[in-house]
Amino acid sequence: QRADRIAEQAEDWIREVRQTGHSKRLNLNAADRRIVHKVAADYSDIETHSEGEGRERQLIIEKKSTN
């Protein structure tokens, strides 16, 4: 199922952000962004947000700042 594949991919993206410390910017549709937001909510050191409007909207995954 697509949602499961997106959730698995989200785990990979989160691991990558944790390992590299670099934020990740993704072009995803609204339903897929919602899945990634939900997966990321389980990680206390990761935050996600969306930027942009309409079809240009992007999801950003990044490490939470430590201050």
Side-chain angles (χ1 to χ4, degrees), residues 12-66:
D12 291 340
W13 289 327
I14 289 166
R15 268 194 297 278
E16 181 182 331
V17 168
R18 287 173 123 182
Q19 289 172 353
T20 67
H22 300 298
S23 62
K24 191 147 192 74
R25 185 176 288 267
L26 304 161
N27 291 312
L28 299 171
N29 66 41
D32 292 350
R33 285 195 308 270
R34 194 171 307 115
I35 292 166
V36 177
H37 283 307
K38 287 174 82 171
V39 170
D42 292 338
Y43 293 86
S44 61
D45 62 332
I46 294 292
E47 60 187 4
T48 60
H49 63 278
S50 296
E51 293 180 358
E53 298 296 326
R55 294 178 59 84
E56 302 299 315
R57 198 153 175 84
Q58 294 183 320
L59 175 80
I60 292 85
I61 304 171
E62 58 192 359
K63 289 184 89 167
K64 285 186 178 173
S65 58
T66 53

